[in-house]
Amino acid sequence: ALDKEELQAALSAKGFKRLVIQTGKSTIVPQKRSSMEVSTYQFKPDLKDDMLAAKLIISHAGAGSVMEALRNRKKLIVVVNDKLMHNHQAELAEAMSEA
């Protein structure tokens, strides 16, 4: 839902000018719905450069993504994918919110 007008407007109001979205295998093509520059890609071999350039990371609650963002001292919003079996992302997000 990163292409929702309300989200892009809220990010823009906070001073963000650029939104980079990794879509993965999704068939949904995010759209620009604000004054923000929006770019997308499916996969990259390494997300390090994107993470280092980011002022804010919005990520699924995968352990690798969360740890990489924290290691780079980035502001992080974690979105749990509750459709996964055994919901390990919810467990990780809950543990991180208590830390």
Side-chain angles (χ1 to χ4, degrees), residues 28-82:
I28 298 169
V29 179
Q31 301 296 311
K32 176 180 174 157
R33 304 202 188 276
S34 70
S35 61
M36 295 179 68
E37 173 191 338
V38 177
S39 61
T40 64
Y41 60 89
Q42 283 192 304
F43 297 102
K44 288 184 179 179
D46 187 351
L47 300 178
K48 183 178 180 180
D49 290 341
D50 285 339
M51 285 192 157
L52 289 174
K55 290 184 171 61
L56 171 68
I57 296 172
I58 302 173
S59 174
H60 69 107
S65 300
V66 169
M67 295 307 294
E68 187 71 19
L70 295 175
R71 187 177 300 118
N72 288 302
R73 301 186 184 279
K74 296 297 180 173
K75 292 179 183 178
L76 175 65
I77 296 174
V78 174
V79 180
V80 174
N81 181 349
D82 59 3

Side-chain angles (χ1 to χ4, degrees), residues 5-17:
E5 185 175 352
E6 297 84 2
L7 176 70
Q8 288 186 22
L11 290 171
S12 184
K14 294 285 185 184
F16 295 99
K17 296 178 178 20

